[in-house]
Amino acid sequence: MLILLNGERFATDASNLDELCAKLGFAEAKVATAVNGSFVAAAMRRITQLSEADEIEVVAPRQGG
């Protein structure tokens, strides 16, 4: 399926947000996620199903100031 990941078209076979994060290498990382503009807490990623054309944001925190 095709989704929009951080503003770029992206093909994936992940069925939920948790699986997508794992495939992107963020399985154990502290990241913020959103689907179609709505924040998704880490505990809810496993049950957040992905659909064609979903807009996904994955943001890692930065250090510094």
Side-chain angles (χ1 to χ4, degrees), residues 26-51:
F26 295 120
E28 301 300 321
K30 300 276 187 194
V31 294
T33 55
V35 175
N36 299 322
S38 296
F39 172 76
V40 178
M44 300 300 290
R45 292 178 191 151
R46 189 175 97 268
I47 62 170
T48 302
Q49 297 299 307
L50 300 180
S51 298

Side-chain angles (χ1 to χ4, degrees), residues 1-6 8-10 15 20 34-37 48-57:
M1 98 177 85
L2 285 176
I3 60 172
L4 199 61
L5 176 64
N6 294 343
E8 308 238 345
R9 291 174 58 106
F10 185 80
S15 62
L20 177 65
V35 175
N36 299 322
T48 302
Q49 297 299 307
L50 300 180
S51 298
E52 186 80 24
D54 275 347
E55 295 182 22
I56 312 299
E57 294 289 330

Side-chain angles (χ1 to χ4, degrees), residues 14 16-28 45:
N16 63 52
L17 188 54
D18 193 52
E19 188 178 335
L20 177 65
C21 287
K23 287 178 182 259
L24 294 172
F26 295 120
E28 301 300 321
R45 292 178 191 151

